[in-house]
């Protein structure tokens, strides 16, 4: 199958793309930066898989349309879509500027919507498909100095649940994965105080690893 993973130039997205490549899927590696996507695609190919890199800002409708046209011409129609693209921004609520709020929602929520909008029609026509949205634990419990990020991830969870009700009976599975903190550049950018407080909350006493999330997504994309 062809699997499209957004925001796959590093962190969780890269781990998901690499795992799906090992699972035998042909992987379209998307990232805002082509060089980062190409590096991950090269690694998948070096391991014996098939992957191509595609650069696009998932919050930009025209960029998404152009990427999808290229992808369909070069690889075919994605049967698996993993919406992982995102970024973090930490600030006390009074310091969150409208531009910060808008950009968080543009990438995490609008980006997820635009990607599903681009891929869902062919899945429905085929009577099969698999969509996995990467949400966050913070979308369920909230996060200090991350109100806009947590709000966006809560929106992704609501979108996922609603779409699953709408299209599951038509052969398209829709799920979300809501990780806690994972050792990625996004989490590394948060304050040391935040990371220490968060680590103290976790039963394992450590943050997750990207490959662990890759394993969950691999299961959700499998026949199991």
């Amino acid at each position: 199958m062809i699997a499209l993973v957004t925001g796959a130039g590093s962190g969780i997205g890269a781990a998901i793309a690499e795992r799906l490549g090992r699972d035998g899927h042909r992987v379209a590696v998307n990232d805002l930066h082509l060089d980062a996507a190409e590096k991950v695609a090269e690694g998948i190919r070096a391991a014996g898989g098939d992957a191509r890199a595609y650069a696009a800002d998932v919050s930009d409708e025209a960029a998404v349309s152009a990427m999808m046209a290229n992808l369909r011409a070069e690889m075919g129609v994605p049967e698996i879509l993993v919406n992982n693209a995102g970024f973090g921004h930490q600030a006390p609520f009074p310091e969150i500027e409208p531009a910060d709020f808008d950009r968080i929602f543009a990438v995490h929520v609008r980006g997820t919507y635009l990607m599903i909008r681009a891929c869902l029609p062919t899945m429905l026509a085929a009577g099969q498909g698999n969509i996995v949205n990467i949400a966050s634990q913070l979308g369920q419990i909230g996060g200090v100095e991350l109100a806009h990020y947590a709000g966006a991830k809560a929106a992704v969870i609501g979108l996922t649940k609603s779409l699953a009700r709408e299209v599951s009976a038509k052969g398209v599975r829709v799920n979300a994965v809501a990780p806690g903190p994972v050792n990625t550049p996004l989490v590394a950018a948060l304050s040391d105080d935040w990371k220490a407080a968060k680590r103290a909350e976790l039963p394992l006493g450590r943050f997750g690893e990207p490959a662990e999330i890759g394993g969950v997504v691999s299961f959700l994309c499998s026949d199991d």
Side-chain angles (χ1 to χ4, degrees):
M1 289 188 175
I2 298 170
L4 169 56
V5 186
T6 69
S10 65
I12 291 174
I16 291 170
E18 291 162 358
R19 176 59 185 266
L20 293 179
R22 291 199 301 273
D23 289 346
H25 299 297
R26 301 173 64 208
V27 185
V29 181
N30 158 264
D31 198 82
L32 185 62
H33 305 290
L34 184 59
D35 56 344
E38 183 55 47
K39 184 175 180 180
V40 173
E42 287 176 358
I44 294 171
R45 292 194 295 267
D50 183 3
R52 288 176 180 263
Y54 297 91
D57 178 348
V58 297
S59 72
D60 184 320
E61 183 178 358
V64 168
S65 295
M67 175 181 70
M68 294 304 300
N70 290 335
L71 193 162
R72 292 186 184 107
E74 295 176 353
M75 297 186 74
V77 176
E79 295 118 317
I80 294 171
L81 169 64
V82 181
N83 285 306
N84 169 79
F87 71 102
H89 177 261
Q90 181 181 5
F93 191 89
E95 297 176 15
I96 298 173
E97 297 293 336
D100 300 325
F101 184 92
D102 290 346
R103 185 60 182 160
I104 283 280
F105 270 76
V107 175
H108 292 268
V109 185
R110 177 181 166 85
T112 297
Y113 155 74
L114 287 175
M115 291 306 307
I116 293 173
R117 182 173 179 265
C119 295
L120 182 61
T122 54
M123 294 181 179
L124 291 173
Q128 64 178 0
N130 203 323
I131 298 170
V132 180
N133 299 324
I134 304 303
S136 171
Q137 173 197 47
L138 300 181
Q140 298 168 306
I141 65 173
V144 175
E145 297 187 348
L146 292 166
H148 50 339
Y149 179 88
K153 289 303 192 181
V156 169
I157 292 170
L159 186 156
T160 302
K161 291 181 176 181
S162 298
L163 188 63
R165 289 181 179 274
E166 186 171 331
V167 302
S168 292
K170 300 175 183 178
V172 180
R173 299 203 306 269
V174 187
N175 290 284
V177 177
V182 178
N183 285 318
T184 65
L186 185 153
V187 170
L190 299 174
S191 70
D192 290 339
D193 288 346
W194 189 94
K195 286 181 282 191
K198 193 65 180 176
R199 193 175 290 110
E201 297 176 7
L202 303 175
L204 285 176
R206 67 168 178 85
F207 290 174
E209 295 298 333
E212 294 172 326
I213 312 306
V216 176
V217 175
S218 170
F219 167 74
L220 289 174
C221 292
S222 75
D223 291 337
D224 294 332

